[in-house]
Amino acid sequence: MPRIEEIALVNINIRIWKYLAILYPNGENNWRKYAFVLPVCLMNVLQFIYLQRMWGDPPAFILNAFFFSAIFNALMRTLLVIAKRVQFEAFLGELQRLYEVIWATEDSICCGILQRAEREARDIAIFNLCASFLDITGAVVFSLFSRDRVHPFGIALPQVDMTRSPVYEIFYILEIPTPVVLSIMYMPFVSLFAAFALFGRAMLQILSHKLSRIKDLRTSQERYQMLIRCIDFHLHVVNYVRMFNELVTFIVGAEAIIFGSIICSLLFCLNLIHSSTQMISVIMYIFTMLYVLFTYYNRAQDLVVESNHVSEAVYEVPWYECDIHFRKTLLIFLMQTQRTLVIKVGNVYPMTLAMFQSLLNASYSYFTMLRGVTNK
């Protein structure tokens, strides 16, 4: 059986988290977890102090609130994984076992479905890390071209002038590693969410494929045995999605509120700023939030769609050619598959593209309300 970090579906992000001792820590590398998280915690506190100073300047306050919220969100994700490390490792163990079961079938179609999911998950992971690194690097470099001395992420210390030499230079140098640090803190969670959902989608596609093969079997006994195997596999998929939902439901619920508020605030900020450079930056930040949200909800939607396809595949099984025992078993299975497998936001709302649209509508509604109030 391959180790979890050797599975192409998740290997990039699991290796990052394993190296940093976020997952699978041991006595030798456990210190890395604290060396990785604590400086970012300190930076977030300094951002909060700076945010208080910007209260009288709405555009500056909103932009720095975005940076504060983004880094706070990255910390929240990382701390969630650390707090739920045992559950995450148990879930990854279940993924590893199911992955091995699928490869052991030696079915070319099943393996092909899994390989497509692996390629897609790997492409998403690479794109997310590269895009995040370039985005944050842009923020670091942009501050160098400002007419005033400003820090890339707006930090401050009480009773200290952060623009005076050598304080400014020291803290600016300390912020240079942030593109790497924040990228590997922020994006692995998004990429792994997509990878977990893609694996769930692949398993449902494999289940539909297996159900479609029942009609090709000749004897009733062979058909019944295949049906039982499909039912057993479906139970494993249901358990996988349940474990997945328990891991992410509350964090995606919190992020729905955070991202919705950020998008609303950035849209409002566009009405207050006049610099074309700042406008481009704000639009880029809005698209970053939209991309992360769309990645979540689009991949969760895939589970809903493929879950419905499984129900359709069960319905298309030629039950009329089989005996009464097969028909009764198939009918019970059909009733089970009527329950759509979904990831829920805050364990309440189904995570679908319809929910994504509702979230955007709510953000835009609050933006128009703010704009109407300020224009009076």
Side-chain angles (χ1 to χ4, degrees):
M1 179 183 293
R3 294 181 298 173
I4 187 65
E5 64 267 27
E6 295 174 347
I7 296 176
L9 193 77
V10 296
N11 64 349
I12 293 176
N13 300 291
I14 294 300
R15 284 174 178 171
I16 290 172
W17 276 357
K18 189 172 182 179
Y19 177 79
L20 295 170
I22 304 298
L23 292 176
Y24 307 104
N26 55 53
E28 296 179 356
N29 66 4
N30 200 43
W31 62 271
R32 294 175 186 168
K33 173 169 52 183
Y34 302 103
F36 177 59
V37 172
L38 290 179
V40 182
C41 290
L42 176 61
M43 179 180 174
N44 209 218
V45 171
L46 298 181
Q47 284 183 296
F48 184 76
I49 296 171
Y50 184 77
L51 206 55
Q52 308 307 306
R53 299 183 180 180
M54 294 294 105
W55 180 252
D57 186 355
F61 180 84
I62 292 172
L63 286 173
N64 284 283
F66 163 75
F67 288 124
F68 170 79
S69 301
I71 294 175
F72 176 78
N73 181 226
L75 278 170
M76 186 172 62
R77 290 173 175 175
T78 305
L79 293 174
L80 170 79
V81 177
I82 293 172
K84 289 191 170 185
R85 178 180 62 81
V86 175
Q87 294 95 315
F88 264 93
E89 291 176 1
F91 177 73
L92 289 168
E94 178 68 5
L95 183 150
Q96 184 181 7
R97 188 184 65 79
L98 291 170
Y99 180 90
E100 180 65 21
V101 167
I102 293 171
W103 276 109
T105 62
E106 297 183 353
D107 185 316
S108 60
I109 295 178
C110 295
C111 293
I113 292 172
L114 191 55
Q115 285 176 333
R116 286 195 296 273
E118 286 179 336
R119 285 195 297 269
E120 195 169 350
R122 188 174 179 83
D123 289 344
I124 289 172
I126 293 171
F127 174 80
N128 284 350
L129 287 172
C130 293
S132 177
F133 176 80
L134 292 174
D135 193 13
I136 300 171
T137 300
V140 173
V141 174
F142 173 76
S143 61
L144 291 174
F145 298 94
S146 176
R147 287 177 295 181
D148 303 318
R149 282 189 164 188
V150 294
H151 288 276
F153 302 103
I155 57 175
L157 282 170
Q159 309 300 323
V160 176
D161 183 1
M162 301 297 289
T163 62
R164 189 187 62 198
S165 296
V167 175
Y168 175 79
E169 288 79 4
I170 291 171
F171 277 90
Y172 193 94
I173 291 171
L174 291 175
E175 289 177 272
I176 289 176
T178 52
V180 175
V181 174
L182 296 180
S183 294
I184 61 179
M185 177 175 281
Y186 191 84
M187 277 305 176
F189 189 91
V190 179
S191 301
L192 282 174
F193 183 99
F196 296 158
L198 285 168
F199 185 63
R201 185 190 71 180
M203 288 194 294
L204 290 169
Q205 290 173 339
I206 289 168
L207 181 56
S208 296
H209 164 67
K210 289 183 175 182
L211 287 166
S212 69
R213 289 179 53 195
I214 291 179
K215 66 177 181 296
D216 299 327
L217 301 176
R218 295 183 178 181
T219 66
S220 297
Q221 184 63 24
E222 289 176 333
R223 290 183 174 184
Y224 184 73
Q225 289 176 352
M226 175 62 82
L227 177 61
I228 294 300
R229 287 196 292 270
C230 289
I231 293 173
D232 182 64
F233 189 70
H234 181 259
L235 290 175
H236 287 300
V237 177
V238 170
N239 182 59
Y240 173 88
V241 175
R242 179 189 59 79
M243 294 175 69
F244 182 20
N245 182 69
E246 289 175 355
L247 284 177
V248 303
T249 182
F250 293 111
I251 188 71
V252 296
E255 288 187 353
I257 298 171
I258 293 171
F259 287 2
S261 302
I262 289 174
I263 291 170
C264 172
S265 301
L266 291 176
L267 287 172
F268 181 65
C269 186
L270 283 175
N271 286 270
L272 303 177
I273 59 179
H274 303 288
S275 167
S276 58
T277 306
Q278 283 188 321
M279 285 185 177
I280 293 172
S281 299
V282 170
I283 292 171
M284 181 178 67
Y285 301 149
I286 291 172
F287 276 105
T288 300
M289 295 293 100
L290 290 176
Y291 168 75
V292 173
L293 278 176
F294 181 75
T295 300
Y296 279 155
Y297 288 82
N298 187 43
R299 295 306 163 197
Q301 174 77 21
D302 288 344
L303 286 175
V304 175
V305 172
E306 294 302 331
S307 180
N308 291 331
H309 287 169
V310 168
S311 184
E312 293 170 6
V314 174
Y315 187 77
E316 291 174 359
V317 171
W319 54 270
Y320 46 83
E321 298 177 358
C322 303
D323 56 35
I324 189 67
H325 186 49
F326 181 95
R327 295 179 188 181
K328 288 181 178 179
T329 305
L330 184 68
L331 181 60
I332 295 172
F333 185 36
L334 179 61
M335 293 171 64
Q336 290 177 340
T337 57
Q338 294 298 312
R339 293 183 179 180
T340 304
L341 301 179
V342 295
I343 305 300
K344 292 187 176 181
V345 179
N347 224 17
V348 177
Y349 299 105
M351 204 171 183
T352 62
L353 288 178
M355 178 64 185
F356 173 69
Q357 184 180 4
S358 298
L359 184 61
L360 296 186
N361 289 341
S363 297
Y364 188 76
S365 297
Y366 284 118
F367 156 66
T368 54
M369 182 184 69
L370 283 172
R371 186 176 61 178
V373 170
T374 54
N375 287 342
K376 288 183 179 180

